[in-house]
Each structure stands twice: as structure tokens, then as C-alpha cells.
Amino acid sequence: MPSNNPTIVLTGDRPTGKLHLGHYVGSIQNRLKLQEQHDNCFYMIADIQALTDNAANPEKVRENTTEVVLDNLATGLDPEKTTFFIQSQIPEIAELTVLFLNLVTLARLRRNPTVKDEMKQKGFGENVPAGFLTYPVSQAADILFCNSNLIPVGEDQLPVIEQANEIVHKFNSLYGETFREIKPSLTDTPRLVGIDGQSKAGKSLGNAIYLSDTPQEIEKKVMKMYTDPDHINLNDPGKVAGNVVFTYLDAFAPDKKEVQELKNHYQKGGLGDVKIKRYLIEVLEDFIAPIREKRESLSQDPSYIKEILIKGTLKARESAIETMKKVRHAIKIDHF
Ligand code: TRP
């Protein structure tokens, strides 16, 4: 396929839980921008990938399939501009994965920093499911089955994209020019710290504010947020760097001047943690309220959601069938 073909954008979420503010700043805001700039955008619910470490929890994956669709629709991903589809409903992705598995080594998969981190986080040790260890290969198939080449992702996914490009190069060199180079697309804030200030906001770490959180949940979480442990008395000078309240204000407060003034005041001393937290609660409520409302109204209409998914999956499947014809021909398994 010549490289002057149009840009095709593809991204996805594992349906393992509701999405949070970290997903928004790390990827969703980019999806929203890209769907305005490109005619071909895909959004995948990566249920097969979710099963790689949830084989025993199919109901969880099934339930969260709807949740991640609602989160994306509520933030403004538009099914008229972005094709929504479910990974498990495109069998060609599984077929492509099997063929790609021959192009990577186990040693290389074990060295993938994203997989390594996640394996540690999940405590797999040597008992890692083979499907989990090889998920970067199936993710390469997610991307390439529809010839997509621009991938909005969080920073943690960069090694997965790098490995997908190695598959592209290997495939093209063995079987002839077939796939295009893949480019990741990052936001300005690819990683949002958790409310505990310790690590990235994560579903499994219980330190995230969700796009569907109630005003009470938002308030409770902000009140617990990590600030500056040395800022004990009101008049002590406080630190802004590493202070989670300011990190979230930087990411979500529309009035940057106000934030700068608060920072100056806090650094000088005389501005209390409760004051800045109250301000952040307001900012986050203003941001989340319309998303929460839209989510609520969309959830009243399951048949509309189903229709979007069926229509999108049929469209994605057309690309998949076309790509597999080329791939089978290239690998000389186009027998009949
Ligand atoms: N691995 C991604 C994540 O955990 C989800 C995903 C699956 C994905 N397939 C994809 C992202 C293809 C981009 C492209 O967030």
C-alpha cells in the first residue's frame, strides 16, 4: 500500500473498568481532536485483550464493554465521525495475530517494558498467561487489520507501538511491502499522576477520579489528595511541584491565570490546602458534570448503543476482509 494513502486513526480501550481523568488527558482529548481532522477514525473495545488477564472474569469484560463505550460517547467521541467496533467480533484480527506471532521472539516480548511493568503490577511472575505476554502482537493486528497508521495512546503504550513497527518491518521484508509505518500520537499530558501522588492514575490502583464519579466522590477524593507534606501551618511556604492538587489544576482549570496566582500565593505561604482543594473540586465538577449527564442519558438507551456497535463492526469487518486477502496472498496461503 503506497504511503500517500490517507491517514487512518485507530485507538482502543480494554473494557476492564470505567475510564478516569487519566484516560481523558492521556488519550481521549486526542481522540476528540483527531476525529475532527481525519476522515477515517476507528475506536476499538479491546475485549479480547482484556480477557488476556481476565480469562476467569468474562462477565466483568462484558459489563465494561458498555461502560467504556458510554465513557467515550459521553466525552464527545462521535459515532458519525469515529467507527466504534468490538475486537472480538472481527475474527480476522485473531487470524492476523497468529501470523504475526511468527515474526517476534519470546525473548523480545519479555523485554517489552510495558509488558514487563504490567506483569509486575499484576504479580504474574513466571505464570504469565501466554496470551498476556503476547498481547503486543495482537495489538499490532488491531492496528494493522484496517491499515491504520496514527494511534492516539498514553505514554505507557509507546513500547507496544514500537514493537508493532518491528512487526511491520519484518512482515514487509519477508513478504513484500504490505503495511505502513505506525505513528503514536501523544497529548501534552500523556501521564496523569494518581490522587496519592505516587504513580500514574490507574483502575487497578484505586487512585483515580472517574469520568462518571458523583459530586460526593469527587469531593472525597480531592480532599484525600496528596499535597505538600511539609506544608503544615497555613503560613508556611508550600511546594507546587509534585503537589497533586496543582497538577490537576494545570490539567483541568480553564483559568490558567487564576491557577498561576494560586501557585504564587501558595509558594509564598498563607494559602491553605483546603482552599486549593475547594477550588479544584469546583473545577472538576464543572468538567465532569456534563459528561456524567450525557452518560446518564445515553445509558437509558441500550438499543442505540447496540446499533452504533453493530454498524461500526460491520464497517471495520470490511477493511479486515480486504486486508486478509492481501496478507494471505503475500504469505502464499491463498489456496482457494
Ligand atoms: N493496550 C491499550 C490500553 O491498555 C488498549 C488497546 C488495545 C489499544 N488495542 C489497541 C490501543 C490498539 C491502541 C491501539 O490502553
Side-chain angles (χ1 to χ4, degrees):
M1 291 161 209
S3 54
N4 60 1
N5 277 351
T7 296
I8 301 179
V9 179
L10 181 138
T11 188
D13 294 307
R14 289 182 200 167
T16 52
K18 294 180 181 179
L19 303 183
H20 52 66
L21 294 177
H23 292 111
Y24 188 87
V25 297
S27 181
I28 295 176
Q29 61 178 7
N30 222 1
R31 298 173 187 175
L32 299 176
K33 193 180 81 192
L34 292 171
Q35 77 174 353
E36 303 305 329
Q37 297 169 343
H38 300 282
D39 290 337
N40 298 287
C41 297
F42 288 96
Y43 168 70
M44 159 190 283
I45 301 107
D47 58 345
I48 297 284
Q49 188 174 114
L51 285 166
T52 62
D53 65 323
N54 282 287
N57 300 307
E59 352 18 62
K60 171 176 149 191
V61 173
R62 179 67 181 250
E63 277 161 24
N64 283 306
T65 294
T66 313
E67 300 295 345
V68 296
V69 173
L70 287 173
D71 281 329
N72 276 279
L73 289 172
T75 51
L77 211 65
D78 179 351
E80 296 295 325
K81 296 176 181 152
T82 297
T83 302
F84 283 62
F85 70 97
I86 306 180
Q87 185 187 20
S88 61
Q89 305 311 297
I90 314 279
E92 289 79 7
I93 295 177
E95 188 180 355
L96 200 52
T97 302
V98 170
L99 298 168
F100 285 170
L101 277 169
N102 300 328
L103 310 181
V104 297
T105 65
L106 269 184
R108 173 66 181 91
L109 284 162
R110 284 189 196 280
R111 276 199 309 272
N112 183 312
T114 309
V115 176
K116 253 164 79 175
D117 276 2
E118 284 176 313
M119 273 172 61
K120 206 155 103 202
Q121 210 186 79
K122 295 173 199 291
F124 282 140
E126 272 306 294
N127 295 318
V128 57
F132 187 82
L133 185 67
T134 56
Y135 94 70
V137 180
S138 103
Q139 191 157 324
D142 295 346
I143 293 168
L144 294 169
F145 89 88
C146 60
N147 197 26
S148 56
N149 63 342
L150 186 63
I151 314 298
V153 279
E155 200 180 31
D156 59 304
Q157 291 285 306
L158 290 178
V160 179
I161 304 294
E162 190 183 324
Q163 191 154 20
N165 271 323
E166 289 171 22
I167 292 173
V168 167
H169 297 147
K170 186 93 189 187
F171 191 103
N172 289 349
S173 78
L174 289 175
Y175 308 122
E177 212 49 40
T178 307
F179 294 114
R180 300 184 288 181
E181 178 94 10
I182 302 160
K183 282 191 275 319
S185 170
L186 293 179
T187 66
D188 300 337
T189 324
R191 198 176 277 258
L192 187 72
V193 73
I195 60 171
D196 52 7
Q198 293 303 329
S199 47
K200 121 178 172 159
K203 285 182 239 197
S204 45
L205 303 167
N207 62 356
I209 296 176
Y210 291 87
L211 295 169
S212 48
D213 271 353
T214 62
Q216 295 74 26
E217 284 164 328
I218 295 171
E219 179 173 359
K220 212 169 114 202
K221 288 177 186 176
V222 172
M223 281 319 207
K224 276 205 314 217
M225 256 183 192
Y226 180 86
T227 55
D228 169 8
D230 299 324
H231 186 238
I232 298 161
N233 300 307
L234 178 67
N235 289 319
D236 291 343
K239 271 205 246 25
V240 163
N243 186 320
V244 181
V245 177
F246 284 108
T247 307
Y248 277 63
L249 284 176
D250 281 336
F252 295 101
D255 189 345
K256 302 294 171 211
K257 218 175 109 223
E258 173 85 31
V259 174
Q260 192 50 51
E261 278 163 19
L262 288 172
K263 282 182 181 172
N264 295 345
H265 191 177
Y266 193 81
Q267 281 168 322
K268 238 184 6 207
L271 179 60
D273 281 3
V274 172
K275 273 254 172 67
I276 56 168
K277 285 181 169 176
R278 286 269 158 237
Y279 182 60
L280 178 60
I281 289 167
E282 250 177 64
V283 163
L284 291 184
E285 177 55 18
D286 286 351
F287 179 77
I288 290 177
I291 298 174
R292 188 197 300 125
E293 278 157 30
K294 187 157 175 210
R295 204 181 189 287
E296 183 53 36
S297 87
L298 285 162
S299 71
Q300 307 297 319
D301 195 353
S303 60
Y304 170 69
I305 307 286
K306 195 165 174 184
E307 209 179 288
I308 289 170
L309 292 173
I310 292 176
K311 214 170 129 206
T313 301
L314 284 172
K315 180 167 170 209
R317 190 100 203 272
E318 284 172 19
S319 303
I321 290 169
E322 207 184 299
T323 301
M324 281 320 295
K325 264 196 208 138
K326 289 185 187 134
V327 166
R328 286 199 204 100
H329 180 70
I331 309 186
K332 304 195 188 304
I333 51 172
D334 55 340
H335 291 286
F336 310 111

